[in-house]
Amino acid sequence: MSADALLQLRAVSCDRAPASVRELTVSIGQGGFHLLAGESDAGHELALRLLGLLDTPDAGKVFVADTPASELPEDSRAQFRDRHLGFVFTAPFLLP
């Protein structure tokens, strides 16, 4: 894993019907553009929820800089999203 990573998932697994993520490891630096895509129910939206600190994994660790996300209070996670992340979900509940 990169020492200068802004966000890291290390061996993250999460099971939320109808999708799951198994042993996902990813390191994201500042200023990049990343795309997750896949078939319906492939787990990409769940992976985005984990990367956006909106969901917690069943196993593995999520790090913001070098701090475990589980140690950050919700307001700090919200500030991190506000300042560093932008993502678009395809879920229909986001539109009126």
Side-chain angles (χ1 to χ4, degrees):
M1 288 271 112
S2 172
D4 60 343
L6 183 62
L7 184 62
Q8 295 181 26
L9 273 63
R10 296 183 190 164
V12 166
S13 294
C14 190
D15 188 18
R16 304 285 187 273
S20 63
V21 170
R22 299 278 181 245
E23 298 291 320
L24 177 62
T25 297
V26 64
S27 179
I28 297 177
Q30 186 149 346
F33 179 83
H34 304 276
L35 173 70
L36 290 178
E39 296 180 20
S40 181
D41 300 332
H44 56 288
E45 286 194 42
L46 179 55
L48 285 174
R49 291 185 60 80
L50 292 164
L51 286 164
L53 309 176
L54 296 169
D55 208 335
T56 56
D58 298 329
K61 297 279 186 184
V62 177
F63 292 87
V64 175
D66 289 322
T67 303
S70 60
E71 295 179 8
L72 297 174
E74 176 53 37
D75 62 331
S76 293
R77 286 180 276 159
Q79 286 177 358
F80 175 79
R81 282 190 297 273
D82 182 49
R83 293 183 181 140
H84 299 286
L85 297 178
F87 49 91
V88 177
F89 291 102
T90 58
F93 61 82
L94 296 175
L95 301 173

